[in-house]
Amino acid sequence: MALLAEFRVLDRRVWMLAAARMVVTAGFSMVLPFLAMYLSVERQVPAVIVGLIWTVAGACGAGMQWVAGELADRVGRRPVMVAAMILRALNLAGLGYATALQADVFVLGALCVANSMLRSFFDPVANALVADLVPPERRVAAFSLQRVGINIGWAAGPAVAAVAADVPYSQLFYWSVPVTLVAAFGVAIIKEPTLATATAQRGPSWREIFAFRDDKPFVRFLLATVAFYVLQVQLYQSLSIFAASVLGLGRAEVGTIYMLNGALVVVLQLPAVGFIQRLGTRGALVIGCLVYAAAYASVGLAVGHLSMLVCVACVTLAEILTAPAQQATVASIAPAGRIGAYSGLFGLCQVVGQSTGPLIGTALLDAVPPRAAWFLIALFGVAAALTYRLSNTASARVEGSTIMRRSIVTEKE
């Protein structure tokens, strides 16, 4: 009952945003995760070209995270998100048309990069809106609710694609367009709080845009975030390669690994809120990173399907601890009127880590014995834990020096 009460008191707009994120993620995951397979198998595009497309898309998306956060602080959250989602629906329609015509790979790659950039105008802005809508003590619960919505969407989209296996791939893009527009309508009817609208009336000066460099604890937090996401993303490419090539697992067995990850997030993310609150956000980050490190190191000791499932379950528990704690921390340490910008910078570092992580992981798998590689990969978790610990973003600091930074921003006005 206490757990239900924790979420029942959340602003209904937080629930509306979680529902919109669930819908837009379902539309996205119905088609985009299969684009690499389409290019490689059906179009016979060299793997290096496919990898280059995703690298460029990740890099461009990372840069746009910061731009999106700055723009949201200037013009408001809702206009940025709605415009991005409408444009993204048009982009998905374009991808459907291009795949139906078997357009040149350059055209498909450009549309994929544009999709990544448009996505970057939604995620950090949505996080900033959540922070606007709830007080600091409710942010862990609010961000946990968002993660549940996103993970349900990630499960629903591929499930639709699997059921519609006989439908041409290009047709699925057309299905995703109305789904994305429904989510855009859901965001459009969310009324921004007065605070968010008021702070958007005056954009920050260029000096303020780069002032985060003097915020040493936040800079350390960003560095820890890069190391963290280098480790986090190993769940996908590196782990599947290891499972298939070293353990001999088939596609169905590897698929159950990701099904377990998504199911555990949906089931355990909300109950974990109380535990995260007892640890504190910094404690959750440090412990979560160490659990991540231990879980990935244990992959090097795995001997079969069951042991891999245990490893991934531990990875997921670490994910459940860290993700809402990261987002709540960003919202808490951002100066007044700069939550969007700080969320964008966090998103930028997240994408940098996720973009470089596969290259680092696969390089290590090739350079050293595959089992030993996982012990080296786990060191990124240790580094992230130490750096998060040194970032000194505990609640006491938030109540003190964040107020000081806000007064500095006021003086600059």
Side-chain angles (χ1 to χ4, degrees), residues 147 151 154 232 235-236 255-268 292 296 309 312-320:
R147 280 183 47 75
N151 277 272
W154 269 110
Q232 182 263 358
L235 179 63
Y236 306 103
T256 61
I257 290 173
Y258 299 113
M259 289 174 59
L260 176 65
N261 174 252
L264 286 177
V265 171
V266 172
V267 172
L268 298 179
Y292 252 124
Y296 277 114
L309 289 175
V312 171
C314 294
V315 166
T316 308
L317 292 177
E319 176 187 345
I320 288 168

Short mmCIF file of all heavy atoms in Angstrom, two decimals, residues 147 151 154 232 235-236 255-268 292 296 309 312-320:
data_model
loop_
_atom_site.label_atom_id
_atom_site.label_comp_id
_atom_site.label_asym_id
_atom_site.label_seq_id
_atom_site.Cartn_x
_atom_site.Cartn_y
_atom_site.Cartn_z
N ARG A 147 10.45 4.96 -16.78
CA ARG A 147 11.19 3.80 -17.27
C ARG A 147 10.27 2.60 -17.50
O ARG A 147 10.47 1.85 -18.45
CB ARG A 147 12.29 3.42 -16.27
CG ARG A 147 13.51 4.30 -16.40
CD ARG A 147 14.60 3.85 -15.44
NE ARG A 147 14.83 2.41 -15.46
CZ ARG A 147 15.46 1.77 -16.43
NH1 ARG A 147 15.91 2.41 -17.48
NH2 ARG A 147 15.64 0.47 -16.35
N ASN A 151 9.89 0.74 -21.10
CA ASN A 151 10.17 -0.69 -21.26
C ASN A 151 8.95 -1.46 -21.76
O ASN A 151 9.11 -2.43 -22.51
CB ASN A 151 10.69 -1.27 -19.95
CG ASN A 151 12.18 -1.04 -19.76
OD1 ASN A 151 13.00 -1.82 -20.20
ND2 ASN A 151 12.53 0.07 -19.13
N TRP A 154 9.07 -0.87 -25.39
CA TRP A 154 10.12 -1.67 -26.04
C TRP A 154 9.70 -3.12 -26.19
O TRP A 154 10.14 -3.82 -27.12
CB TRP A 154 11.41 -1.59 -25.23
CG TRP A 154 12.32 -0.49 -25.65
CD1 TRP A 154 12.62 0.64 -24.96
CD2 TRP A 154 13.06 -0.40 -26.88
NE1 TRP A 154 13.48 1.44 -25.68
CE2 TRP A 154 13.77 0.83 -26.86
CE3 TRP A 154 13.17 -1.22 -28.00
CZ2 TRP A 154 14.59 1.23 -27.90
CZ3 TRP A 154 13.98 -0.82 -29.04
CH2 TRP A 154 14.69 0.40 -28.98
N GLN A 232 27.25 -0.14 -19.61
CA GLN A 232 25.83 -0.52 -19.73
C GLN A 232 25.49 -1.10 -21.09
O GLN A 232 24.75 -2.08 -21.22
CB GLN A 232 24.96 0.71 -19.44
CG GLN A 232 23.47 0.46 -19.49
CD GLN A 232 22.85 0.85 -20.83
OE1 GLN A 232 23.52 1.35 -21.71
NE2 GLN A 232 21.56 0.60 -20.97
N LEU A 235 25.55 -4.96 -22.81
CA LEU A 235 24.46 -5.94 -22.76
C LEU A 235 24.00 -6.35 -24.15
O LEU A 235 23.49 -7.45 -24.34
CB LEU A 235 23.28 -5.35 -21.98
CG LEU A 235 22.02 -6.21 -21.84
CD1 LEU A 235 22.34 -7.48 -21.06
CD2 LEU A 235 20.91 -5.44 -21.16
N TYR A 236 24.22 -5.51 -25.12
CA TYR A 236 23.66 -5.75 -26.45
C TYR A 236 24.70 -6.42 -27.37
O TYR A 236 24.79 -7.63 -27.40
CB TYR A 236 23.11 -4.43 -27.00
CG TYR A 236 22.13 -3.82 -26.03
CD1 TYR A 236 22.48 -2.73 -25.23
CD2 TYR A 236 20.86 -4.37 -25.86
CE1 TYR A 236 21.60 -2.21 -24.31
CE2 TYR A 236 19.97 -3.86 -24.93
CZ TYR A 236 20.34 -2.77 -24.16
OH TYR A 236 19.48 -2.26 -23.23
N GLY A 255 17.64 -14.47 -27.33
CA GLY A 255 16.43 -13.67 -27.22
C GLY A 255 15.84 -13.69 -25.82
O GLY A 255 15.33 -12.68 -25.33
N THR A 256 15.92 -14.85 -25.14
CA THR A 256 15.37 -14.93 -23.78
C THR A 256 16.15 -14.04 -22.81
O THR A 256 15.59 -13.58 -21.80
CB THR A 256 15.39 -16.37 -23.26
OG1 THR A 256 16.74 -16.85 -23.23
CG2 THR A 256 14.56 -17.28 -24.15
N ILE A 257 17.42 -13.80 -23.11
CA ILE A 257 18.22 -12.92 -22.26
C ILE A 257 17.63 -11.51 -22.24
O ILE A 257 17.47 -10.90 -21.18
CB ILE A 257 19.68 -12.89 -22.77
CG1 ILE A 257 20.37 -14.23 -22.50
CG2 ILE A 257 20.46 -11.74 -22.13
CD1 ILE A 257 21.74 -14.36 -23.12
N TYR A 258 17.26 -11.02 -23.42
CA TYR A 258 16.72 -9.67 -23.51
C TYR A 258 15.27 -9.60 -23.02
O TYR A 258 14.84 -8.59 -22.48
CB TYR A 258 16.86 -9.16 -24.94
CG TYR A 258 18.31 -9.10 -25.36
CD1 TYR A 258 18.80 -9.94 -26.36
CD2 TYR A 258 19.21 -8.26 -24.72
CE1 TYR A 258 20.13 -9.92 -26.72
CE2 TYR A 258 20.54 -8.23 -25.08
CZ TYR A 258 21.00 -9.06 -26.07
OH TYR A 258 22.33 -9.04 -26.42
N MET A 259 14.55 -10.69 -23.22
CA MET A 259 13.19 -10.76 -22.67
C MET A 259 13.23 -10.67 -21.14
O MET A 259 12.42 -9.98 -20.52
CB MET A 259 12.50 -12.04 -23.12
CG MET A 259 12.14 -12.08 -24.59
SD MET A 259 11.49 -13.69 -25.11
CE MET A 259 10.07 -13.84 -24.02
N LEU A 260 14.19 -11.37 -20.53
CA LEU A 260 14.33 -11.34 -19.07
C LEU A 260 14.66 -9.93 -18.61
O LEU A 260 14.08 -9.44 -17.63
CB LEU A 260 15.42 -12.31 -18.64
CG LEU A 260 15.75 -12.31 -17.14
CD1 LEU A 260 14.57 -12.81 -16.33
CD2 LEU A 260 16.99 -13.16 -16.85
N ASN A 261 15.57 -9.26 -19.32
CA ASN A 261 15.95 -7.89 -18.95
C ASN A 261 14.74 -6.97 -18.95
O ASN A 261 14.48 -6.26 -17.96
CB ASN A 261 17.00 -7.39 -19.94
CG ASN A 261 17.35 -5.93 -19.72
OD1 ASN A 261 16.97 -5.08 -20.53
ND2 ASN A 261 18.07 -5.61 -18.66
N GLY A 262 13.96 -6.97 -20.02
CA GLY A 262 12.79 -6.10 -20.09
C GLY A 262 11.73 -6.44 -19.07
O GLY A 262 11.13 -5.56 -18.44
N ALA A 263 11.49 -7.74 -18.87
CA ALA A 263 10.45 -8.17 -17.93
C ALA A 263 10.80 -7.77 -16.50
O ALA A 263 9.94 -7.31 -15.73
CB ALA A 263 10.25 -9.67 -18.03
N LEU A 264 12.07 -7.94 -16.11
CA LEU A 264 12.47 -7.59 -14.75
C LEU A 264 12.35 -6.09 -14.50
O LEU A 264 11.96 -5.66 -13.41
CB LEU A 264 13.91 -8.04 -14.49
CG LEU A 264 14.12 -9.55 -14.29
CD1 LEU A 264 15.60 -9.85 -14.12
CD2 LEU A 264 13.33 -10.05 -13.10
N VAL A 265 12.67 -5.27 -15.51
CA VAL A 265 12.52 -3.82 -15.34
C VAL A 265 11.07 -3.46 -15.09
O VAL A 265 10.73 -2.68 -14.18
CB VAL A 265 13.07 -3.07 -16.57
CG1 VAL A 265 12.72 -1.58 -16.48
CG2 VAL A 265 14.58 -3.22 -16.67
N VAL A 266 10.17 -4.02 -15.89
CA VAL A 266 8.74 -3.72 -15.74
C VAL A 266 8.23 -4.15 -14.37
O VAL A 266 7.47 -3.43 -13.71
CB VAL A 266 7.94 -4.38 -16.87
CG1 VAL A 266 6.43 -4.25 -16.62
CG2 VAL A 266 8.29 -3.76 -18.22
N VAL A 267 8.66 -5.32 -13.92
CA VAL A 267 8.14 -5.87 -12.66
C VAL A 267 8.76 -5.22 -11.43
O VAL A 267 8.08 -4.97 -10.43
CB VAL A 267 8.36 -7.40 -12.63
CG1 VAL A 267 8.01 -7.98 -11.26
CG2 VAL A 267 7.54 -8.08 -13.72
N LEU A 268 10.07 -4.93 -11.48
CA LEU A 268 10.79 -4.52 -10.27
C LEU A 268 11.09 -3.03 -10.16
O LEU A 268 11.45 -2.56 -9.08
CB LEU A 268 12.11 -5.29 -10.17
CG LEU A 268 12.01 -6.82 -10.06
CD1 LEU A 268 13.40 -7.44 -10.01
CD2 LEU A 268 11.20 -7.21 -8.83
N TYR A 292 26.89 -3.62 -11.27
CA TYR A 292 27.13 -3.75 -12.71
C TYR A 292 28.48 -4.40 -12.97
O TYR A 292 28.61 -5.34 -13.79
CB TYR A 292 27.11 -2.37 -13.36
CG TYR A 292 25.90 -2.05 -14.20
CD1 TYR A 292 25.13 -0.93 -13.94
CD2 TYR A 292 25.55 -2.84 -15.30
CE1 TYR A 292 24.02 -0.60 -14.73
CE2 TYR A 292 24.46 -2.53 -16.09
CZ TYR A 292 23.70 -1.41 -15.79
OH TYR A 292 22.61 -1.10 -16.57
N TYR A 296 28.98 -8.01 -14.83
CA TYR A 296 29.68 -8.19 -16.11
C TYR A 296 30.93 -9.04 -15.95
O TYR A 296 31.30 -9.81 -16.85
CB TYR A 296 30.00 -6.84 -16.73
CG TYR A 296 28.84 -6.26 -17.50
CD1 TYR A 296 28.21 -5.09 -17.06
CD2 TYR A 296 28.36 -6.87 -18.64
CE1 TYR A 296 27.14 -4.56 -17.76
CE2 TYR A 296 27.29 -6.34 -19.35
CZ TYR A 296 26.68 -5.19 -18.90
OH TYR A 296 25.62 -4.68 -19.60
N LEU A 309 21.62 -16.18 -17.90
CA LEU A 309 20.39 -15.57 -17.41
C LEU A 309 20.60 -14.98 -16.01
O LEU A 309 20.10 -13.89 -15.71
CB LEU A 309 19.26 -16.59 -17.38
CG LEU A 309 18.70 -17.03 -18.74
CD1 LEU A 309 17.67 -18.14 -18.56
CD2 LEU A 309 18.08 -15.86 -19.48
N VAL A 312 22.59 -11.73 -16.42
CA VAL A 312 21.77 -10.65 -16.95
C VAL A 312 20.75 -10.18 -15.92
O VAL A 312 20.42 -9.00 -15.86
CB VAL A 312 21.08 -11.10 -18.26
CG1 VAL A 312 20.04 -10.08 -18.71
CG2 VAL A 312 22.12 -11.30 -19.34
N ALA A 313 20.26 -11.07 -15.09
CA ALA A 313 19.36 -10.66 -14.01
C ALA A 313 20.08 -9.70 -13.06
O ALA A 313 19.51 -8.69 -12.63
CB ALA A 313 18.85 -11.89 -13.24
N CYS A 314 21.34 -9.97 -12.76
CA CYS A 314 22.12 -9.07 -11.90
C CYS A 314 22.38 -7.74 -12.59
O CYS A 314 22.33 -6.67 -11.97
CB CYS A 314 23.44 -9.74 -11.51
SG CYS A 314 23.26 -11.18 -10.45
N VAL A 315 22.68 -7.78 -13.90
CA VAL A 315 22.84 -6.55 -14.67
C VAL A 315 21.57 -5.70 -14.60
O VAL A 315 21.62 -4.49 -14.42
CB VAL A 315 23.18 -6.89 -16.14
CG1 VAL A 315 23.04 -5.66 -17.03
CG2 VAL A 315 24.60 -7.43 -16.25
N THR A 316 20.43 -6.36 -14.73
CA THR A 316 19.15 -5.64 -14.71
C THR A 316 18.88 -5.03 -13.35
O THR A 316 18.35 -3.90 -13.26
CB THR A 316 18.01 -6.59 -15.11
OG1 THR A 316 18.34 -7.24 -16.34
CG2 THR A 316 16.70 -5.83 -15.28
N LEU A 317 19.22 -5.72 -12.29
CA LEU A 317 19.04 -5.16 -10.95
C LEU A 317 19.87 -3.89 -10.79
O LEU A 317 19.42 -2.90 -10.19
CB LEU A 317 19.43 -6.20 -9.89
CG LEU A 317 18.51 -7.41 -9.77
CD1 LEU A 317 19.06 -8.39 -8.74
CD2 LEU A 317 17.09 -7.00 -9.40
N ALA A 318 21.10 -3.91 -11.32
CA ALA A 318 21.93 -2.71 -11.28
C ALA A 318 21.31 -1.59 -12.10
O ALA A 318 21.32 -0.41 -11.69
CB ALA A 318 23.33 -3.04 -11.81
N GLU A 319 20.75 -1.91 -13.25
CA GLU A 319 20.09 -0.93 -14.10
C GLU A 319 18.91 -0.30 -13.38
O GLU A 319 18.70 0.92 -13.44
CB GLU A 319 19.61 -1.62 -15.38
CG GLU A 319 18.81 -0.75 -16.33
CD GLU A 319 18.24 -1.56 -17.49
OE1 GLU A 319 18.69 -2.70 -17.71
OE2 GLU A 319 17.34 -1.03 -18.17
N ILE A 320 18.14 -1.10 -12.67
CA ILE A 320 16.97 -0.61 -11.94
C ILE A 320 17.38 0.37 -10.85
O ILE A 320 16.68 1.36 -10.59
CB ILE A 320 16.20 -1.82 -11.35
CG1 ILE A 320 15.49 -2.59 -12.48
CG2 ILE A 320 15.19 -1.38 -10.30
CD1 ILE A 320 14.95 -3.93 -12.05
#
